Amino acid sequence: MARAAVKTVYACTECGQSSPKWLGQCPACRKWNTLQEEVAVPEPRAGGRVHPAGFGSARPLPLSEVEAGEAARTRTGIGELDRVLGGGLVPGQLILLGGDPGIGKSTLLLAALDQLCRAFGDRPVLYVSGEESARQVKLRADRLGVAAGSLRVFAETDAVKVLHAAEQLKPAVLAVDSIQTQYLPELASAPGTVSQIREVTARLMAFAKTSETATFLVGHVTKDGAIAGPRVLEHMVDTVLYFEGGGAHPYRVLRSHKNRFGSASEIGVFEMKARGLQEVPNPSALFLAERPEDAPGSAVTAALNGSRTVLVEVQALVAPTGFGTPRRTALGLDSNRVALLAAVLEKKVGLEILGCDLFVNVAGGLTLDDPAADLACIAALASSFRERSIPQRTLVLGEVGLAGEVRAVSQAESRLAEAARLGFDRVLLPAANARHAELPAGLEAVAVTTVDEALERLF
């Protein structure tokens, strides 16, 4: 009997759209070079796909009849992780954890599972390893000091066996490391393809919701820093966490990009040590620990990340250009925003800075998207250009507009309180904030309305 020909399609790694032939641009999401060849998956028969029981309702209900209550949270025992999650784990929560290779995803997850074993008592916690053997997991656990008796390790890549083991064990928490290694035997495509990731995640989501088991999924990242696989993966889960940092920096930032049960702008700070990741309860002191004294081009601002205020150092270097076109390099800040602020400096203050090379960096590897850092960036650029240092204990705060005005920032009082706690005695802030903010003891406020006035008061 002749074997049926294998049918292949080209699936988009961003949105999951399939095409019978290769295209340079995906017709659905308009991304370039995202279509990859894989074996076509036959459509399920009517009624063949399993829907999570209890995940929906049998009939439409009036909103007033829907029963709802605050979900009980379970703390992981790691304060920084609990902060990013919104206070702890919610029953049935599906969490996707991504980051560069070797940044500490498995290390953090294993330490959290060890703490959760103590929180749940006799209930087991299941850790599924698709990339390492049980012996390798044991070696890492010994290095981290993980010795929970209720932690079960299962080295398996067959998602059917993983789900069967989870249904038999009924764990309090399930962790799958990583989702790209899991596959369903009935699908002919290889592990890590769009169809495999989508189907495996759908079944894990059904298990998590029906059994109310909090589930962690570890995801690989591409060279662009995005989680590998279809973009729909991030839409299916409840929470998306990214690890940032690595390389030469000893500390890592865990950032929430999506959270249905908490703030989507929280960060947690960890430091990599010999015994794994250690929490950093006071990241402001860490980021300012190596700040040079009386060095031009350095300014400190207070950035808001969710409910946390962090003091960070914005560094700038203005140098004569050696080429026809001046360079603009920004690390931790939007390069377009830096170019805009440099134009404001030249047009509104009169500093001839646009013809120079501009290099701006946020010390510590932190990424800032808070507009309150605008005035600190301008102050650092002017300080480097004029070769005049900013006083060591002065905080610079404010958003800058194209007209050269200094605009008010949100939650000014929490920023000022953090500055006073770390010993700052003077703050440049917008006049609109100075009129209403309650200053902590020992902190002097200098109200400014324009960039020109701010630089005059600063130097």
Side-chain angles (χ1 to χ4, degrees):
M1 181 181 296
R3 180 176 296 178
V6 177
K7 182 181 179 181
T8 61
V9 295
Y10 293 87
C12 176
T13 58
E14 289 288 328
C15 64
Q17 176 74 18
S18 61
S19 171
K21 62 179 181 179
W22 185 85
L23 299 172
Q25 185 185 46
C26 174
C29 65
R30 299 298 179 182
K31 297 289 185 179
W32 289 93
N33 300 321
T34 58
L35 268 66
Q36 295 183 355
E37 185 179 11
E38 62 179 54
V39 178
V41 179
E43 290 294 327
R45 296 191 301 265
R49 187 180 296 275
V50 179
H51 292 275
F55 192 35
S57 55
R59 61 183 179 84
L61 294 175
L63 183 62
S64 58
E65 295 182 11
V66 178
E67 295 183 1
E70 187 67 24
R73 293 182 181 268
T74 303
R75 294 193 174 274
T76 64
I78 301 177
E80 294 297 295
L81 179 58
D82 288 334
R83 173 190 288 273
V84 179
L85 289 174
L89 290 178
V90 175
Q93 185 176 7
L94 192 61
I95 304 162
L96 180 62
L97 176 62
D100 293 333
I103 201 170
K105 301 185 296 295
S106 301
T107 300
L108 176 65
L109 189 56
L110 201 58
L113 294 181
D114 180 45
Q115 297 290 335
L116 286 168
C117 287
R118 298 181 174 89
F120 286 104
D122 296 334
R123 290 191 63 187
V125 172
L126 180 59
Y127 177 73
V128 178
S129 176
E131 299 178 346
E132 299 176 320
S133 65
R135 182 175 179 273
Q136 289 175 305
V137 175
K138 173 62 175 174
L139 291 174
R140 176 186 285 115
D142 291 341
R143 178 172 58 86
L144 300 177
V146 175
S150 57
L151 178 59
R152 309 294 177 86
V153 179
F154 189 30
E156 183 57 64
T157 58
D158 188 337
V160 175
K161 295 180 180 179
V162 170
L163 287 169
H164 178 72
E167 290 169 357
Q168 296 294 320
L169 192 62
K170 294 181 174 56
V173 179
L174 171 64
V176 180
D177 186 6
S178 65
I179 188 62
Q180 279 81 10
T181 62
Q182 300 298 311
Y183 73 96
L184 293 170
E186 60 263 31
L187 302 184
S189 54
T193 56
V194 173
S195 57
Q196 286 282 7
I197 293 177
R198 184 172 52 218
E199 293 297 322
V200 170
T201 304
R203 298 200 186 186
L204 288 171
M205 179 181 68
F207 171 78
K209 300 303 179 183
T210 54
S211 63
E212 293 194 342
T213 302
T215 303
F216 286 93
L217 305 179
V218 176
H220 294 167
V221 296
T222 63
K223 62 181 180 180
D224 298 326
I227 294 181
R231 196 71 176 182
V232 70
L233 175 64
E234 299 185 30
H235 294 287
M236 294 170 69
V237 301
D238 298 314
T239 306
V240 179
L241 307 179
Y242 275 92
F243 250 131
E244 300 174 357
H249 296 294
Y251 29 86
R252 315 282 193 261
V253 176
L254 183 64
R255 188 181 299 273
S256 172
H257 284 248
K258 171 189 176 182
N259 194 352
R260 290 174 178 156
F261 303 105
S263 173
S265 57
E266 291 283 358
I267 66 166
V269 183
F270 298 87
E271 186 176 5
M272 180 61 77
K273 294 186 177 180
R275 291 182 59 85
L277 291 169
Q278 302 293 324
E279 297 180 66
V280 179
N282 187 7
S284 297
L286 177 68
F287 291 136
L288 299 180
E290 300 179 14
R291 186 190 177 200
E293 294 187 7
D294 300 327
S298 172
V300 177
T301 189
L304 204 63
N305 291 276
S307 61
R308 162 175 276 167
T309 301
V310 181
L311 299 190
V312 292
E313 178 191 2
V314 180
Q315 299 176 330
L317 179 63
V318 180
T321 182
F323 303 95
T325 303
R327 295 182 59 185
R328 303 285 185 267
T329 303
L331 299 177
L333 287 169
D334 184 11
S335 58
N336 294 324
R337 190 72 179 173
V338 172
L340 180 149
L341 296 175
V344 171
L345 261 178
E346 175 142 338
K347 183 72 175 178
K348 301 300 179 180
V349 182
L351 296 184
E352 297 180 357
I353 200 173
L354 292 182
C356 302
D357 289 339
L358 305 182
F359 305 92
V360 179
N361 174 51
V362 178
L366 198 65
T367 300
L368 297 183
D369 54 5
D370 190 347
D374 288 352
L375 191 57
C377 182
I378 278 188
L381 287 170
S383 172
S384 178
F385 183 80
R386 293 177 172 177
E387 287 293 331
R388 298 181 62 183
S389 62
I390 297 173
Q392 193 75 8
R393 292 298 174 184
T394 298
L395 185 77
V396 183
L397 203 60
E399 180 183 356
V400 175
L402 289 179
E405 78 278 14
V406 179
R407 295 173 173 266
V409 299
S410 62
Q411 302 187 34
E413 291 185 356
S414 64
R415 302 175 196 258
L416 297 178
E418 180 71 8
R421 190 174 66 85
L422 289 180
F424 283 75
D425 54 18
R426 185 167 177 256
V427 56
L428 249 72
L429 79 165
N433 289 124
R435 285 193 294 267
H436 306 290
E438 294 184 7
L439 289 176
L443 191 62
E444 175 195 357
V446 179
V448 294
T449 56
T450 64
V451 172
D452 198 3
E453 180 187 359
L455 294 183
E456 182 180 350
R457 300 293 295 272
L458 194 62
F459 297 112

